Amino acid sequence: MNLKELSNALGLSQTTVSRALNGYPEVSAKTRARVVEMARKLGYEPNQQAQKLATGRAMAIGHVIPRSVHDMMNPIFLEFIAGAGQTYSGHGYDMILSVVEDAREEEAFREIARKKKADGVILQGPRVQETRHDLLDELGLPYIVHGRISGAEERTSWIDVNNLRAFERATKLLLDLGHRRIALINGRETMDFAARRRAGYEKALADFGLEVDPALISSADMTEPYGAETAYRLLKSKTPPTAFLVASMISAIGVSRAISLAGLKMGQDVSVITHDDALSFLPNSGDMPIFTCTRSSIRQAGMRAAEMILQKVQTPDGPPICERLEAELIIGQSTGPAPSVEGAQKSG
Protein backbone atom coordinates (compact mmCIF):
# COMPACT_ATOMS: atom_id res chain seq x y z
CA MET A 1 0.00 0.00 0.00
CA ASN A 2 1.50 3.33 -1.09
CA LEU A 3 0.30 6.93 -0.93
CA LYS A 4 -1.17 6.84 -4.44
CA GLU A 5 -3.24 3.73 -3.67
CA LEU A 6 -4.45 5.22 -0.40
CA SER A 7 -5.42 8.43 -2.20
CA ASN A 8 -7.36 6.47 -4.84
CA ALA A 9 -9.21 4.53 -2.14
CA LEU A 10 -10.25 7.80 -0.50
CA GLY A 11 -10.99 9.68 -3.70
CA LEU A 12 -8.66 12.47 -2.59
CA SER A 13 -5.50 13.97 -4.03
CA GLN A 14 -2.15 12.71 -2.81
CA THR A 15 -1.39 16.22 -1.55
CA THR A 16 -4.53 16.31 0.61
CA VAL A 17 -3.87 12.83 2.01
CA SER A 18 -0.24 13.67 2.76
CA ARG A 19 -1.21 16.92 4.46
CA ALA A 20 -3.91 15.14 6.49
CA LEU A 21 -1.44 12.50 7.70
CA ASN A 22 1.09 15.19 8.59
CA GLY A 23 -1.41 17.25 10.60
CA TYR A 24 -1.54 20.36 8.42
CA PRO A 25 -4.15 22.76 9.89
CA GLU A 26 -5.77 23.60 6.53
CA VAL A 27 -7.13 20.03 6.35
CA SER A 28 -10.43 19.76 8.24
CA ALA A 29 -10.64 17.55 11.32
CA LYS A 30 -13.33 15.46 9.57
CA THR A 31 -11.14 14.81 6.54
CA ARG A 32 -8.09 14.10 8.68
CA ALA A 33 -10.03 11.56 10.76
CA ARG A 34 -11.30 9.88 7.58
CA VAL A 35 -7.78 9.65 6.13
CA VAL A 36 -6.25 8.32 9.34
CA GLU A 37 -9.01 5.70 9.70
CA MET A 38 -8.62 4.52 6.09
CA ALA A 39 -4.82 4.38 6.47
CA ARG A 40 -5.25 2.23 9.57
CA LYS A 41 -7.83 0.00 7.89
CA LEU A 42 -5.69 -0.58 4.80
CA GLY A 43 -2.44 -0.92 6.71
CA TYR A 44 -0.79 2.11 5.15
CA GLU A 45 2.41 3.23 6.89
CA PRO A 46 3.97 6.52 5.76
CA ASN A 47 7.60 6.45 4.68
CA GLN A 48 8.94 8.34 7.66
CA GLN A 49 12.31 9.07 6.08
CA ALA A 50 10.58 10.63 3.10
CA GLN A 51 8.39 12.67 5.42
CA LYS A 52 11.43 13.97 7.27
CA LEU A 53 13.10 14.99 4.01
CA ALA A 54 9.93 16.59 2.65
CA THR A 55 9.04 18.54 5.77
CA GLY A 56 12.45 19.17 7.33
CA ARG A 57 11.04 17.90 10.59
CA ALA A 58 12.14 15.22 13.06
CA MET A 59 8.65 13.66 12.89
CA ALA A 60 8.81 13.10 16.65
CA ILE A 61 7.33 14.67 19.80
CA GLY A 62 9.27 14.72 23.06
CA HIS A 63 8.13 13.98 26.61
CA VAL A 64 10.72 14.83 29.29
CA ILE A 65 9.61 13.54 32.65
CA PRO A 66 11.47 14.50 35.85
CA ARG A 67 11.82 11.43 38.04
CA SER A 68 9.92 12.98 40.96
CA VAL A 69 6.85 13.54 38.76
CA HIS A 70 7.20 10.13 37.09
CA ASP A 71 7.29 8.32 40.43
CA MET A 72 4.21 10.20 41.61
CA MET A 73 2.08 9.81 38.48
CA ASN A 74 3.42 6.62 36.90
CA PRO A 75 0.14 4.69 36.29
CA ILE A 76 -1.75 7.83 35.26
CA PHE A 77 1.11 9.00 33.07
CA LEU A 78 1.22 5.67 31.24
CA GLU A 79 -2.47 6.02 30.36
CA PHE A 80 -1.84 9.53 29.03
CA ILE A 81 1.09 8.27 26.96
CA ALA A 82 -1.05 5.49 25.50
CA GLY A 83 -3.55 8.05 24.23
CA ALA A 84 -0.89 10.39 22.89
CA GLY A 85 1.00 7.54 21.21
CA GLN A 86 -2.15 6.45 19.39
CA THR A 87 -2.47 9.91 17.85
CA TYR A 88 1.22 10.22 16.99
CA SER A 89 1.32 6.90 15.16
CA GLY A 90 -1.77 7.85 13.14
CA HIS A 91 0.09 10.91 11.88
CA GLY A 92 3.42 9.18 11.24
CA TYR A 93 5.12 10.64 14.32
CA ASP A 94 7.37 8.94 16.83
CA MET A 95 7.43 9.65 20.56
CA ILE A 96 10.66 10.36 22.42
CA LEU A 97 10.26 9.60 26.11
CA SER A 98 12.98 10.60 28.57
CA VAL A 99 12.74 10.02 32.33
CA VAL A 100 15.53 12.09 33.87
CA GLU A 101 16.74 13.19 37.26
CA ASP A 102 15.16 16.52 38.22
CA ALA A 103 18.51 18.32 37.97
CA ARG A 104 18.93 17.18 34.33
CA GLU A 105 15.53 18.27 33.05
CA GLU A 106 16.73 21.59 31.60
CA GLU A 107 19.67 19.85 29.93
CA ALA A 108 17.28 17.32 28.33
CA PHE A 109 15.12 20.09 26.82
CA ARG A 110 18.18 21.93 25.54
CA GLU A 111 19.47 18.75 23.90
CA ILE A 112 16.14 18.16 22.14
CA ALA A 113 16.24 21.70 20.73
CA ARG A 114 19.95 21.66 19.86
CA LYS A 115 19.95 18.28 18.13
CA LYS A 116 16.45 18.79 16.66
CA LYS A 117 15.42 15.43 18.12
CA ALA A 118 11.75 16.45 18.30
CA ASP A 119 9.53 19.03 16.62
CA GLY A 120 7.78 19.88 19.87
CA VAL A 121 7.23 18.67 23.42
CA ILE A 122 4.43 18.11 25.88
CA LEU A 123 5.16 19.60 29.29
CA GLN A 124 3.88 17.27 32.03
CA GLY A 125 3.04 17.92 35.68
CA PRO A 126 3.14 21.73 35.95
CA ARG A 127 4.08 22.90 39.42
CA VAL A 128 2.69 25.77 41.46
CA GLN A 129 6.06 27.53 41.02
CA GLU A 130 6.69 26.73 37.33
CA THR A 131 9.50 28.03 35.09
CA ARG A 132 10.00 25.35 32.43
CA HIS A 133 7.74 27.17 29.96
CA ASP A 134 10.13 30.15 30.06
CA LEU A 135 12.96 27.82 29.01
CA LEU A 136 10.90 26.36 26.14
CA ASP A 137 10.00 29.86 24.95
CA GLU A 138 13.71 30.74 25.02
CA LEU A 139 14.57 27.61 22.99
CA GLY A 140 11.80 28.29 20.47
CA LEU A 141 10.48 24.76 21.00
CA PRO A 142 6.71 24.38 20.40
CA TYR A 143 4.95 22.90 23.43
CA ILE A 144 1.62 22.05 25.00
CA VAL A 145 1.18 21.99 28.77
CA HIS A 146 -0.74 19.04 30.16
CA GLY A 147 -2.28 20.99 32.99
CA ARG A 148 -2.09 24.73 33.52
CA ILE A 149 0.54 27.18 34.69
CA SER A 150 -0.98 29.71 37.07
CA GLY A 151 -0.34 33.22 35.84
CA ALA A 152 0.68 32.06 32.37
CA GLU A 153 -2.63 30.76 31.02
CA GLU A 154 -2.87 33.62 28.51
CA ARG A 155 0.51 33.04 26.84
CA THR A 156 0.86 29.25 26.96
CA SER A 157 -0.95 26.46 25.11
CA TRP A 158 -2.53 23.92 27.44
CA ILE A 159 -5.14 21.25 28.03
CA ASP A 160 -6.46 20.74 31.54
CA VAL A 161 -9.35 19.42 33.56
CA ASN A 162 -11.27 22.07 35.49
CA ASN A 163 -9.94 20.70 38.77
CA LEU A 164 -11.25 23.55 40.89
CA ARG A 165 -14.81 23.17 39.60
CA ALA A 166 -14.69 19.36 39.85
CA PHE A 167 -13.71 19.37 43.53
CA GLU A 168 -16.05 22.24 44.34
CA ARG A 169 -18.99 20.22 42.92
CA ALA A 170 -17.88 17.06 44.72
CA THR A 171 -17.56 18.84 48.06
CA LYS A 172 -20.96 20.48 47.64
CA LEU A 173 -22.53 17.10 46.95
CA LEU A 174 -21.19 15.85 50.28
CA LEU A 175 -22.35 19.03 52.01
CA ASP A 176 -25.83 18.61 50.50
CA LEU A 177 -25.85 15.09 51.94
CA GLY A 178 -25.35 16.59 55.40
CA HIS A 179 -21.60 15.97 55.80
CA ARG A 180 -19.72 18.68 57.64
CA ARG A 181 -16.43 16.99 58.51
CA ILE A 182 -15.04 16.25 55.07
CA ALA A 183 -11.42 15.15 54.75
CA LEU A 184 -9.38 16.02 51.66
CA ILE A 185 -6.78 13.40 50.72
CA ASN A 186 -5.00 15.37 48.05
CA GLY A 187 -2.03 14.91 45.76
CA ARG A 188 1.19 16.84 46.28
CA GLU A 189 0.16 20.46 46.68
CA THR A 190 3.38 21.64 45.05
CA MET A 191 1.63 20.50 41.85
CA ASP A 192 -0.77 22.89 40.16
CA PHE A 193 -3.63 20.38 39.77
CA ALA A 194 -3.61 19.60 43.52
CA ALA A 195 -3.58 23.28 44.47
CA ARG A 196 -6.60 23.86 42.25
CA ARG A 197 -8.44 20.89 43.78
CA ARG A 198 -7.83 22.21 47.27
CA ALA A 199 -9.10 25.63 46.17
CA GLY A 200 -12.32 24.01 44.94
CA TYR A 201 -12.78 22.15 48.22
CA GLU A 202 -12.19 25.31 50.27
CA LYS A 203 -14.51 27.38 48.07
CA ALA A 204 -17.38 24.92 48.63
CA LEU A 205 -16.86 25.00 52.40
CA ALA A 206 -16.78 28.80 52.37
CA ASP A 207 -20.01 28.94 50.35
CA PHE A 208 -21.64 26.88 53.13
CA GLY A 209 -20.20 29.18 55.80
CA LEU A 210 -17.79 26.53 57.09
CA GLU A 211 -14.20 27.04 58.16
CA VAL A 212 -11.38 24.86 56.80
CA ASP A 213 -9.95 22.45 59.36
CA PRO A 214 -6.26 21.90 58.47
CA ALA A 215 -6.31 18.61 60.40
CA LEU A 216 -8.62 17.19 57.72
CA ILE A 217 -6.31 18.00 54.80
CA SER A 218 -3.37 15.86 53.69
CA SER A 219 -1.02 16.09 50.72
CA ALA A 220 1.34 13.41 49.36
CA ASP A 221 2.01 11.08 46.44
CA MET A 222 -1.24 9.43 45.38
CA THR A 223 -0.56 5.84 46.46
CA GLU A 224 -2.80 3.18 47.98
CA PRO A 225 -0.89 3.08 51.31
CA TYR A 226 -1.11 6.87 51.57
CA GLY A 227 -4.90 6.70 51.22
CA ALA A 228 -5.23 3.80 53.67
CA GLU A 229 -2.91 5.15 56.38
CA THR A 230 -4.27 8.69 56.26
CA ALA A 231 -7.92 7.61 56.31
CA TYR A 232 -7.39 5.09 59.14
CA ARG A 233 -5.61 7.70 61.28
CA LEU A 234 -8.44 10.18 60.76
CA LEU A 235 -11.17 7.61 61.40
CA LYS A 236 -9.55 6.72 64.72
CA SER A 237 -9.27 10.36 65.82
CA LYS A 238 -11.56 11.93 68.44
CA THR A 239 -13.55 13.81 65.81
CA PRO A 240 -13.42 11.60 62.70
CA PRO A 241 -14.63 12.77 59.30
CA THR A 242 -17.86 11.38 57.90
CA ALA A 243 -16.66 11.78 54.32
CA PHE A 244 -13.50 11.76 52.23
CA LEU A 245 -12.67 13.60 49.03
CA VAL A 246 -9.77 11.77 47.37
CA ALA A 247 -7.39 12.82 44.59
CA SER A 248 -7.15 9.48 42.75
CA MET A 249 -8.74 6.07 42.38
CA ILE A 250 -5.55 4.43 43.61
CA SER A 251 -5.66 6.36 46.89
CA ALA A 252 -9.43 5.83 47.14
CA ILE A 253 -8.89 2.06 47.18
CA GLY A 254 -6.68 2.63 50.21
CA VAL A 255 -9.39 4.76 51.84
CA SER A 256 -11.91 1.98 51.22
CA ARG A 257 -9.55 -0.51 52.89
CA ALA A 258 -9.15 1.76 55.91
CA ILE A 259 -12.92 2.15 56.30
CA SER A 260 -13.28 -1.63 56.33
CA LEU A 261 -10.44 -2.03 58.85
CA ALA A 262 -12.18 0.50 61.11
CA GLY A 263 -15.28 -1.71 61.10
CA LEU A 264 -17.33 0.74 59.04
CA LYS A 265 -19.22 0.50 55.76
CA MET A 266 -18.39 2.78 52.84
CA GLY A 267 -21.45 4.61 51.53
CA GLN A 268 -23.30 4.09 54.77
CA ASP A 269 -21.10 5.05 57.71
CA VAL A 270 -18.53 6.98 55.68
CA SER A 271 -18.87 8.53 52.22
CA VAL A 272 -16.11 8.74 49.62
CA ILE A 273 -15.78 10.73 46.39
CA THR A 274 -12.68 10.29 44.26
CA HIS A 275 -11.27 11.67 41.05
CA ASP A 276 -11.41 8.97 38.37
CA ASP A 277 -9.06 9.27 35.37
CA ALA A 278 -10.96 6.42 33.67
CA LEU A 279 -7.89 4.18 33.89
CA SER A 280 -8.27 1.14 31.61
CA PHE A 281 -6.69 -1.17 34.20
CA LEU A 282 -8.81 0.14 37.10
CA PRO A 283 -12.39 0.52 35.83
CA ASN A 284 -15.05 2.18 37.98
CA SER A 285 -17.98 1.41 35.72
CA GLY A 286 -21.43 -0.13 35.52
CA ASP A 287 -24.91 1.25 36.19
CA MET A 288 -23.87 1.95 39.78
CA PRO A 289 -20.06 2.33 40.03
CA ILE A 290 -18.33 1.43 43.28
CA PHE A 291 -17.11 5.00 43.77
CA THR A 292 -18.92 8.27 43.33
CA CYS A 293 -16.40 10.23 41.30
CA THR A 294 -15.42 13.21 39.23
CA ARG A 295 -14.44 11.56 35.95
CA SER A 296 -12.27 12.75 33.09
CA SER A 297 -10.46 10.33 30.79
CA ILE A 298 -6.69 10.75 30.95
CA ARG A 299 -6.31 8.67 27.78
CA GLN A 300 -8.61 11.01 25.87
CA ALA A 301 -6.63 13.95 27.25
CA GLY A 302 -3.46 12.34 25.89
CA MET A 303 -5.02 11.91 22.46
CA ARG A 304 -6.22 15.51 22.39
CA ALA A 305 -2.90 16.90 23.70
CA ALA A 306 -1.11 15.06 20.90
CA GLU A 307 -3.45 16.59 18.31
CA MET A 308 -2.79 20.02 19.81
CA ILE A 309 1.01 19.73 19.76
CA LEU A 310 0.95 18.55 16.14
CA GLN A 311 -1.15 21.61 15.32
CA LYS A 312 1.30 23.79 17.23
CA VAL A 313 4.20 22.29 15.26
CA GLN A 314 2.44 23.24 12.02
CA THR A 315 1.73 26.81 13.16
CA PRO A 316 4.35 27.65 15.82
CA ASP A 317 3.69 31.39 15.52
CA GLY A 318 -0.07 31.02 15.91
CA PRO A 319 -2.01 32.08 19.01
CA PRO A 320 -2.04 29.82 22.09
CA ILE A 321 -4.28 26.76 21.89
CA CYS A 322 -6.18 26.22 25.13
CA GLU A 323 -8.74 23.60 26.10
CA ARG A 324 -10.40 23.21 29.48
CA LEU A 325 -12.18 19.92 30.08
CA GLU A 326 -15.09 19.58 32.49
CA ALA A 327 -15.17 16.46 34.66
CA GLU A 328 -18.41 14.51 34.95
CA LEU A 329 -19.85 13.95 38.42
CA ILE A 330 -20.85 10.28 38.55
CA ILE A 331 -22.95 8.95 41.43
CA GLY A 332 -21.84 5.56 42.73
CA GLN A 333 -22.22 3.34 45.78
CA SER A 334 -19.68 5.15 47.97
CA THR A 335 -21.80 8.11 49.04
CA GLY A 336 -24.85 8.51 51.23
CA PRO A 337 -26.39 10.83 53.80
CA ALA A 338 -24.22 11.81 56.75
CA PRO A 339 -24.87 9.46 59.68
CA SER A 340 -26.82 10.90 62.58
CA VAL A 341 -24.96 11.75 65.76
CA GLU A 342 -26.74 8.88 67.54
CA GLY A 343 -25.87 6.44 64.75
CA ALA A 344 -22.28 7.57 64.71
CA GLN A 345 -22.00 7.05 68.50
CA LYS A 346 -23.40 3.53 68.17
CA SER A 347 -20.99 2.60 65.38
CA GLY A 348 -18.11 4.03 67.43
Side-chain angles (χ1 to χ4, degrees), residues 256-268:
S256 175
R257 178 161 67 90
I259 291 171
S260 180
L261 287 171
L264 302 170
K265 185 174 180 180
M266 184 171 71
Q268 181 174 308

PDB file of all heavy atoms in Angstrom, residues 256-268:
ATOM      1  N   SER A 256     -10.899   3.034  51.068  1.00  0.00           N
ATOM      2  CA  SER A 256     -11.907   1.982  51.225  1.00  0.00           C
ATOM      3  C   SER A 256     -11.403   0.882  52.163  1.00  0.00           C
ATOM      4  O   SER A 256     -12.150   0.389  53.017  1.00  0.00           O
ATOM      5  CB  SER A 256     -12.245   1.392  49.847  1.00  0.00           C
ATOM      6  OG  SER A 256     -13.116   0.302  49.969  1.00  0.00           O
ATOM      7  N   ARG A 257     -10.136   0.529  52.018  1.00  0.00           N
ATOM      8  CA  ARG A 257      -9.551  -0.506  52.891  1.00  0.00           C
ATOM      9  C   ARG A 257      -9.535  -0.034  54.344  1.00  0.00           C
ATOM     10  O   ARG A 257      -9.854  -0.808  55.266  1.00  0.00           O
ATOM     11  CB  ARG A 257      -8.131  -0.830  52.416  1.00  0.00           C
ATOM     12  CG  ARG A 257      -7.405  -1.859  53.264  1.00  0.00           C
ATOM     13  CD  ARG A 257      -6.227  -2.456  52.502  1.00  0.00           C
ATOM     14  NE  ARG A 257      -5.163  -1.512  52.243  1.00  0.00           N
ATOM     15  CZ  ARG A 257      -4.128  -1.286  53.051  1.00  0.00           C
ATOM     16  NH1 ARG A 257      -4.045  -1.950  54.208  1.00  0.00           N
ATOM     17  NH2 ARG A 257      -3.186  -0.429  52.724  1.00  0.00           N
ATOM     18  N   ALA A 258      -9.192   1.229  54.553  1.00  0.00           N
ATOM     19  CA  ALA A 258      -9.148   1.765  55.914  1.00  0.00           C
ATOM     20  C   ALA A 258     -10.536   1.778  56.563  1.00  0.00           C
ATOM     21  O   ALA A 258     -10.681   1.477  57.751  1.00  0.00           O
ATOM     22  CB  ALA A 258      -8.574   3.182  55.885  1.00  0.00           C
ATOM     23  N   ILE A 259     -11.551   2.124  55.774  1.00  0.00           N
ATOM     24  CA  ILE A 259     -12.925   2.146  56.296  1.00  0.00           C
ATOM     25  C   ILE A 259     -13.320   0.751  56.757  1.00  0.00           C
ATOM     26  O   ILE A 259     -13.911   0.572  57.836  1.00  0.00           O
ATOM     27  CB  ILE A 259     -13.889   2.674  55.218  1.00  0.00           C
ATOM     28  CG1 ILE A 259     -13.624   4.172  54.963  1.00  0.00           C
ATOM     29  CG2 ILE A 259     -15.344   2.455  55.624  1.00  0.00           C
ATOM     30  CD1 ILE A 259     -14.363   4.737  53.762  1.00  0.00           C
ATOM     31  N   SER A 260     -12.982  -0.249  55.964  1.00  0.00           N
ATOM     32  CA  SER A 260     -13.284  -1.631  56.335  1.00  0.00           C
ATOM     33  C   SER A 260     -12.526  -2.048  57.593  1.00  0.00           C
ATOM     34  O   SER A 260     -13.095  -2.682  58.497  1.00  0.00           O
ATOM     35  CB  SER A 260     -12.934  -2.561  55.170  1.00  0.00           C
ATOM     36  OG  SER A 260     -13.214  -3.903  55.496  1.00  0.00           O
ATOM     37  N   LEU A 261     -11.249  -1.688  57.671  1.00  0.00           N
ATOM     38  CA  LEU A 261     -10.437  -2.031  58.853  1.00  0.00           C
ATOM     39  C   LEU A 261     -10.979  -1.375  60.119  1.00  0.00           C
ATOM     40  O   LEU A 261     -10.841  -1.913  61.218  1.00  0.00           O
ATOM     41  CB  LEU A 261      -8.987  -1.603  58.628  1.00  0.00           C
ATOM     42  CG  LEU A 261      -8.159  -2.439  57.653  1.00  0.00           C
ATOM     43  CD1 LEU A 261      -6.819  -1.776  57.373  1.00  0.00           C
ATOM     44  CD2 LEU A 261      -7.954  -3.852  58.197  1.00  0.00           C
ATOM     45  N   ALA A 262     -11.608  -0.209  59.963  1.00  0.00           N
ATOM     46  CA  ALA A 262     -12.180   0.499  61.110  1.00  0.00           C
ATOM     47  C   ALA A 262     -13.546  -0.060  61.501  1.00  0.00           C
ATOM     48  O   ALA A 262     -14.189   0.444  62.429  1.00  0.00           O
ATOM     49  CB  ALA A 262     -12.292   1.988  60.788  1.00  0.00           C
ATOM     50  N   GLY A 263     -13.998  -1.101  60.784  1.00  0.00           N
ATOM     51  CA  GLY A 263     -15.280  -1.715  61.097  1.00  0.00           C
ATOM     52  C   GLY A 263     -16.471  -0.923  60.602  1.00  0.00           C
ATOM     53  O   GLY A 263     -17.587  -1.072  61.123  1.00  0.00           O
ATOM     54  N   LEU A 264     -16.262  -0.111  59.579  1.00  0.00           N
ATOM     55  CA  LEU A 264     -17.328   0.738  59.041  1.00  0.00           C
ATOM     56  C   LEU A 264     -17.665   0.316  57.615  1.00  0.00           C
ATOM     57  O   LEU A 264     -16.918  -0.429  56.980  1.00  0.00           O
ATOM     58  CB  LEU A 264     -16.895   2.201  59.070  1.00  0.00           C
ATOM     59  CG  LEU A 264     -16.522   2.765  60.446  1.00  0.00           C
ATOM     60  CD1 LEU A 264     -15.871   4.130  60.316  1.00  0.00           C
ATOM     61  CD2 LEU A 264     -17.753   2.839  61.355  1.00  0.00           C
ATOM     62  N   LYS A 265     -18.788   0.822  57.116  1.00  0.00           N
ATOM     63  CA  LYS A 265     -19.220   0.498  55.761  1.00  0.00           C
ATOM     64  C   LYS A 265     -19.197   1.747  54.895  1.00  0.00           C
ATOM     65  O   LYS A 265     -19.816   2.759  55.224  1.00  0.00           O
ATOM     66  CB  LYS A 265     -20.624  -0.103  55.775  1.00  0.00           C
ATOM     67  CG  LYS A 265     -21.079  -0.576  54.399  1.00  0.00           C
ATOM     68  CD  LYS A 265     -22.413  -1.289  54.472  1.00  0.00           C
ATOM     69  CE  LYS A 265     -22.844  -1.750  53.073  1.00  0.00           C
ATOM     70  NZ  LYS A 265     -24.147  -2.455  53.107  1.00  0.00           N
ATOM     71  N   MET A 266     -18.461   1.651  53.767  1.00  0.00           N
ATOM     72  CA  MET A 266     -18.392   2.782  52.843  1.00  0.00           C
ATOM     73  C   MET A 266     -19.754   3.017  52.193  1.00  0.00           C
ATOM     74  O   MET A 266     -20.413   2.075  51.764  1.00  0.00           O
ATOM     75  CB  MET A 266     -17.337   2.504  51.766  1.00  0.00           C
ATOM     76  CG  MET A 266     -17.111   3.663  50.804  1.00  0.00           C
ATOM     77  SD  MET A 266     -15.685   3.437  49.709  1.00  0.00           S
ATOM     78  CE  MET A 266     -16.313   2.132  48.620  1.00  0.00           C
ATOM     79  N   GLY A 267     -20.167   4.257  52.122  1.00  0.00           N
ATOM     80  CA  GLY A 267     -21.446   4.613  51.533  1.00  0.00           C
ATOM     81  C   GLY A 267     -22.572   4.643  52.546  1.00  0.00           C
ATOM     82  O   GLY A 267     -23.645   5.171  52.265  1.00  0.00           O
ATOM     83  N   GLN A 268     -22.291   4.090  53.706  1.00  0.00           N
ATOM     84  CA  GLN A 268     -23.305   4.092  54.768  1.00  0.00           C
ATOM     85  C   GLN A 268     -22.791   4.850  55.989  1.00  0.00           C
ATOM     86  O   GLN A 268     -23.392   5.842  56.406  1.00  0.00           O
ATOM     87  CB  GLN A 268     -23.665   2.660  55.160  1.00  0.00           C
ATOM     88  CG  GLN A 268     -24.729   2.564  56.249  1.00  0.00           C
ATOM     89  CD  GLN A 268     -25.146   1.115  56.496  1.00  0.00           C
ATOM     90  OE1 GLN A 268     -25.494   0.380  55.562  1.00  0.00           O
ATOM     91  NE2 GLN A 268     -25.092   0.690  57.749  1.00  0.00           N
TER      92      GLN A 268
END
